[in-house]
């Protein structure tokens, strides 16, 4: 079974790399023996979609093109799948190895290890012993618990539009969003997607933990230009509450909310198990405060207090 699948994937990759024009599913089925032996159209479609996803997971850049008749075709351009010569010194190799360890707790662990093996086979130097001696006790991790992470990461890489159901923090029910995904950012232990919202015709940021159901890919290319990655990162930080424009005054239960205490510009004990903190107030602070539940009470400004109350009421209705 494993040999048959490997042969099928190899044949599909050769077909996609060897064509100068997009090939339809029908043409690919007629060109690959294993697809001809599929019992039905549904069986072939499932097999083809799995194989296509597997090749993309292995690093093959497969383009999806729609012709004038509305038929979808596929190809893998050689210039998009050819890497330039890679030269890394020992320090760069060590940094790359450390970055790969970040993904050991995620589904990308196999891909990260495989990529390192390929680079080492191509001549990348091993990490120096001194580096390992000083850093072997460190275990960097980025938590990835959301099921939406992997399909969105692949969609960002392949520049494929997606559709998913998203529930805003102040909404009781999710609503469908059509998005052209740009990049994923991790901030304060949460993953965010930055992209172009087609219906709202504007840049938006989505927290992955609020995506419900399956992330579905759509054919066709992007309709909006992708901004520079630095701009996207700044947008993610801004929407997540990093950019502070004023201060907020909150009551915080003693021995709770250490991330809030770390950001406080001033604090004082109120007694009866409560402290008063002044913290920077920016976009997204209301969503962050809601996470602390009954341990936080917003004193001022009034609009922040109202936003937090609205979010808590929306959560209570779910």
């Amino acid at each position: 079974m494993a040999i048959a699948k490997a042969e099928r994937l190899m044949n599909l990759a050769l077909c996609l790399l060897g064509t100068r024009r997009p090939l339809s599913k029908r043409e690919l089925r007629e060109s690959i023996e294993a697809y001809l032996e599929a019992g039905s159209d549904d069986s072939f479609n499932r097999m083809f979609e799995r194989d296509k996803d597997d090749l993309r997971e292995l690093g093959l850049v497969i383009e999806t093109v729609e012709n004038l008749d509305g038929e979808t075709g596929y190809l893998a351009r050689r210039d998009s799948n050819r890497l330039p010569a890679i030269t890394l010194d020992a320090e760069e190799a060590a940094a790359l190895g450390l970055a790969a360890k970040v993904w050991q707790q995620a589904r990308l662990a196999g891909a990260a290890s495989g990529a390192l093996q390929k680079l080492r086979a191509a001549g990348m130097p091993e990490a120096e012993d001194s580096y390992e001696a000083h850093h072997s006790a460190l275990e960097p991790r980025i938590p990835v618990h959301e099921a939406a992470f992997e399909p969105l990461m692949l969609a960002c890489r392949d520049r494929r539009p997606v559709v998913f159901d998203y529930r805003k923090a102040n909404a009781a029910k999710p609503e469908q969003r059509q998005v052209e995904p740009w990049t994923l950012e991790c901030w304060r232990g949460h993953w965010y997607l930055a992209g172009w919202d087609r219906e709202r015709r504007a840049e938006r940021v989505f927290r992955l933990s609020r995506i419900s159901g399956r992330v579905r890919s759509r054919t066709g290319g992007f309709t909006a230009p992708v901004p520079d990655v630095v701009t996207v990162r700044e947008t993610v930080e801004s929407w997540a509450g990093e950019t502070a424009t004023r201060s907020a005054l909150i009551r915080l239960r003693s021995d709770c909310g250490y991330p809030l205490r770390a950001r406080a510009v001033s604090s004082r004990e109120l007694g009866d198990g409560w402290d008063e903190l002044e913290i920077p107030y920016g976009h997204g602070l209301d969503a962050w405060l809601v996470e602390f539940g009954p341990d936080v009470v917003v004193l001022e400004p009034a609009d922040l207090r109202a936003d937090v109350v609205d979010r808590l009421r929306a959560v209570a209705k779910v």
Side-chain angles (χ1 to χ4, degrees), residues 76-94:
R77 302 184 193 275
R78 290 183 177 271
D79 54 352
S80 300
N81 289 282
R82 183 183 296 116
L83 288 176
I86 299 176
T87 56
L88 299 173
D89 58 28
E91 291 184 355
E92 291 171 331

Side-chain angles (χ1 to χ4, degrees), residues 35-305:
Y35 289 157
L36 285 173
E37 296 174 352
S40 63
D41 290 342
D42 289 340
S43 178
F44 159 69
N45 286 329
R46 289 194 299 269
M47 187 186 302
F48 173 74
E49 292 299 327
R50 286 196 301 266
D51 290 348
K52 180 160 57 69
D53 290 341
D54 287 343
L55 287 178
R56 279 175 167 156
E57 186 69 22
L58 291 171
L60 188 68
V61 180
I62 301 175
E63 296 185 24
T64 302
V65 181
E66 189 170 324
N67 61 25
L68 296 177
D69 298 327
E71 187 177 31
T72 301
Y74 307 89
L75 79 160
R77 302 184 193 275
R78 290 183 177 271
D79 54 352
S80 300
N81 289 282
R82 183 183 296 116
L83 288 176
I86 299 176
T87 56
L88 299 173
D89 58 28
E91 291 184 355
E92 291 171 331
L96 195 59
L98 183 63
K101 288 183 179 180
V102 168
W103 300 107
Q104 294 307 304
Q105 305 303 319
R107 297 229 2 223
L108 297 176
S113 299
L116 281 182
Q117 291 175 1
K118 293 176 183 178
L119 288 172
R120 286 166 182 161
M124 185 185 80
E126 295 283 348
E128 295 180 354
D129 293 339
S130 60
Y131 175 86
E132 293 294 338
H134 288 90
H135 298 273
S136 59
L138 297 177
E139 185 66 25
R141 297 182 183 181
I142 294 181
V144 181
H145 306 296
E146 295 86 355
F149 176 83
E150 189 170 356
L152 288 175
M153 181 201 66
L154 296 175
C156 290
R157 182 195 68 184
D158 300 334
R159 293 286 187 259
R160 285 184 284 122
V162 294
V163 175
F164 52 78
D165 293 331
Y166 186 78
R167 182 184 62 81
K168 295 192 296 185
N170 58 352
K173 296 182 180 179
E175 59 181 14
Q176 189 178 92
R177 310 295 282 267
Q178 299 185 32
V179 179
E180 298 173 11
W182 293 339
T183 190
L184 291 163
E185 294 285 344
C186 185
W187 189 84
R188 285 183 180 162
H190 297 291
W191 280 98
Y192 295 85
L193 170 71
W196 180 261
D197 190 313
R198 286 183 167 179
E199 292 185 356
R200 291 155 182 79
R201 302 188 62 81
E203 179 181 346
R204 288 291 185 269
V205 173
F206 307 91
R207 181 163 154 176
L208 266 60
S209 61
R210 297 195 182 117
I211 295 177
S212 59
R214 188 170 62 90
V215 176
R216 304 175 295 280
S217 298
R218 287 293 179 262
T219 58
F222 283 9
T223 60
V226 180
D228 183 79
V229 65
V230 176
T231 302
V232 174
R233 183 175 296 112
E234 291 174 352
T235 302
V236 172
E237 293 177 350
S238 174
W239 278 81
E242 181 71 15
T243 305
T245 55
R246 46 182 172 156
S247 295
L249 200 62
I250 66 171
R251 279 201 309 161
L252 181 63
R253 201 182 302 273
S254 302
D255 299 326
C256 293
Y258 291 103
L260 291 173
R261 296 180 187 277
R263 290 197 64 191
V265 296
S266 65
S267 63
R268 67 185 182 92
E269 294 184 7
L270 296 178
D272 296 329
W274 289 90
D275 300 325
E276 185 180 273
L277 278 68
E278 181 183 358
I279 59 176
Y281 176 21
H283 182 88
L285 180 61
D286 52 341
W288 192 30
L289 293 177
V290 168
E291 297 180 11
F292 296 92
D295 294 328
V296 170
V297 177
V298 178
L299 300 177
E300 56 183 57
D303 54 347
L304 175 62
R305 180 183 176 89

